[in-house]
Amino acid sequence: MNRNDPAELAHECSGKAVDSPLYDRLRIAEIAEGVGDPQCYKGKAGGPPRFKVGDRLRVKDLPDVFYNQTPGYTRGVAGTVVSVVYESPVPEDEAWGRIDQAEWFYLLSFRHADLWGDDDPDTHPDDVVQAEMPERWLEPA
């Protein structure tokens, strides 16, 4: 399979989002060419990040309409911003071909016990899980 051949890619992905007239893989590649993705969206989030390192944020419990990369097990749980990582289109927008609107992404750290309680006798109280998510999914805790 040659992933650079649009005809082969279209066949492999038949029935998926790439069949949408809004999806334009070549346009996405054109934007990222020579600068990499997500760095090609630097400065396109429309302003400074709303949150900063150390902020306590809660992941919103939003409905899954189609696709996202926000882990379901983090919904409704508070975590701490470890890093403001980059600006990029949100996966659920990108799946529909809306790649011209970027927003900030954050790396959050969650205590294992806050996510799953004490479900494992080998769990250490300092165990954490980190997840990266876009600003629209976050609110102050």
Side-chain angles (χ1 to χ4, degrees):
M1 162 108 213
N2 179 356
R3 293 198 173 274
N4 293 322
D5 182 347
E8 287 188 42
L9 182 65
H11 176 69
E12 178 192 4
C13 299
S14 180
K16 298 182 181 174
V18 293
D19 289 337
S20 165
L22 298 174
Y23 183 84
D24 186 349
R25 181 179 67 84
L26 297 177
R27 171 84 172 110
I28 294 169
E30 179 183 295
I31 291 171
E33 185 177 6
V35 291
D37 185 13
Q39 297 82 14
C40 61
Y41 292 100
K42 185 175 183 178
K44 296 190 176 172
R50 180 176 169 204
F51 307 114
K52 64 185 183 314
V53 172
D55 284 354
R56 289 283 295 164
L57 304 177
R58 181 172 327 284
V59 180
K60 295 176 185 176
D61 192 8
L62 299 173
D64 287 321
V65 175
F66 174 63
Y67 172 78
N68 67 72
Q69 288 182 336
T70 301
Y73 58 83
T74 64
R75 313 272 174 91
V77 180
T80 303
V81 176
V82 174
S83 176
V84 179
V85 287
Y86 55 80
E87 301 161 86
S88 183
V90 178
E92 51 261 45
D93 287 348
E94 192 172 2
W96 292 101
R98 295 188 300 255
I99 60 170
D100 295 328
Q101 178 61 45
E103 65 183 76
W104 288 100
F105 279 70
Y106 301 84
L107 180 64
L108 272 71
S109 180
F110 300 90
R111 290 178 350 115
H112 180 278
D114 291 341
L115 293 170
W116 296 293
D118 296 325
D119 64 345
D120 184 347
D122 296 327
T123 300
H124 188 276
D126 294 329
D127 286 350
V128 297
V129 173
Q130 292 186 340
E132 192 177 280
M133 53 198 66
E135 195 167 85
R136 75 174 60 170
W137 281 89
L138 304 170
E139 61 189 1

